[in-house]
Amino acid sequence: MFPVRPAPHPHSVGIETRQALIAAATEVFLAQGFRAARVKDITDRAGARLSAINYHFGGKEGLYLAVLQHHAEIAVTRTPLPEFDAGQPLETRFRAFVRTMVFRMVDPANPSRIGSLMVREAINPTPALEVMFERFSRPQSEALFGLMREHFGPDASYDLLARASLSVVGQIMVYVALKPLVLKLRPDFYTRTDGLDELAEQVAIFSWAGLYALLQVEASRHES
């Protein structure tokens, strides 16, 4: 389990220490992962005592989950899932979803590091993965699954919806998980002012064409 102690009152002396520990732990967990990270490296970086981690978070596990939740909250607040007016075309809504995910997960100017943190967690999972999936990933998945179900129809199988959804998200997450390789192929991508807009447009166009092709394949299977 990953217990997290409640955050101290905003006006208490300990709030600055808590924030410093989260900031320091973010960098250490990103560089080393949860298991290899040493709490002393975190407290040294934060300028805090070792006992501060137990006091504020109940231990290393609690600190790790607090870091994940902190960055997830920033991402959700800064780039909320889009809300739509009734009657908006499916393609318009799909494009808006893709754009939100690109800016939520890839934007180097976004103070949230949730994309990189979740990639590390997925590669070498801890019990925190289940918590973060329910609180952060599931709402995104349900939104995308809803769009896919509308595209393929109410009788579409779960497997089809999952494959289609993962194909869309995979095009975005490669820019998070394989950043060093992206830089080899596109050295200026993360510093270009139009890089994210271009990526969102590319993923939307590429995916939309693929989704329609897949819809035709599924229709042919049912006819045969």
Side-chain angles (χ1 to χ4, degrees):
M1 297 296 292
F2 277 68
V4 179
R5 296 189 178 185
H9 190 277
H11 298 296
S12 69
V13 175
I15 189 66
E16 291 184 1
T17 300
R18 181 184 174 89
Q19 292 172 339
L21 286 168
I22 287 177
T26 296
E27 301 307 321
V28 174
F29 287 139
L30 278 173
Q32 302 176 17
F34 169 74
R35 291 180 175 84
R38 298 171 63 243
V39 292
K40 188 176 186 306
D41 291 340
I42 295 171
T43 53
D44 286 350
R45 192 180 186 110
R49 297 179 179 179
L50 281 170
S51 59
I53 290 180
N54 284 331
Y55 174 77
H56 289 283
F57 306 100
K60 179 183 175 183
E61 294 84 0
L63 172 58
Y64 179 59
L65 184 56
V67 166
L68 290 171
Q69 291 176 325
H70 170 76
H71 287 279
E73 288 169 5
I74 293 174
V76 170
T77 301
R78 185 181 175 101
T79 50
L81 291 175
E83 297 181 359
F84 304 106
D85 297 328
Q88 279 191 296
L90 177 59
E91 182 178 1
T92 299
R93 288 177 279 139
F94 175 73
R95 283 175 172 269
F97 176 86
V98 168
R99 181 177 176 81
T100 296
M101 293 305 297
V102 166
F103 278 83
R104 176 178 285 191
M105 306 302 282
V106 184
D107 187 2
N110 192 332
S112 173
R113 310 291 292 281
I114 192 61
S116 298
L117 286 164
M118 287 300 289
V119 166
R120 260 204 172 276
E121 175 61 22
I123 292 172
N124 195 4
T126 72
L129 181 62
E130 186 66 26
V131 177
M132 293 306 297
F133 178 79
E134 291 298 325
R135 297 183 183 179
F136 179 68
S137 300
R138 185 179 291 281
Q140 298 173 161
S141 299
E142 290 178 346
L144 183 53
F145 266 54
L147 295 171
M148 295 299 96
R149 186 173 291 107
E150 188 173 344
H151 175 70
F152 289 107
D155 296 328
S157 68
Y158 176 87
D159 180 67
L160 173 60
L161 300 179
R163 284 189 287 115
S165 297
L166 288 169
S167 294
V168 174
V169 174
Q171 294 176 73
I172 299 170
M173 293 308 295
V174 70
Y175 283 82
V176 181
L178 301 181
K179 185 174 180 179
L181 180 57
V182 172
L183 287 171
K184 291 290 186 183
L185 299 172
R186 305 185 65 189
D188 63 341
F189 172 76
Y190 298 97
T191 57
R192 287 175 50 187
T193 56
D194 63 342
L196 296 180
D197 291 314
E198 180 186 80
L199 176 60
E201 183 74 2
Q202 171 192 306
V203 172
I205 292 173
F206 194 86
S207 297
W208 194 247
L211 289 169
Y212 261 96
L214 189 55
L215 181 62
Q216 292 174 344
V217 170
E218 290 297 313
S220 298
R221 286 176 179 171
H222 288 297
E223 291 174 0
S224 59

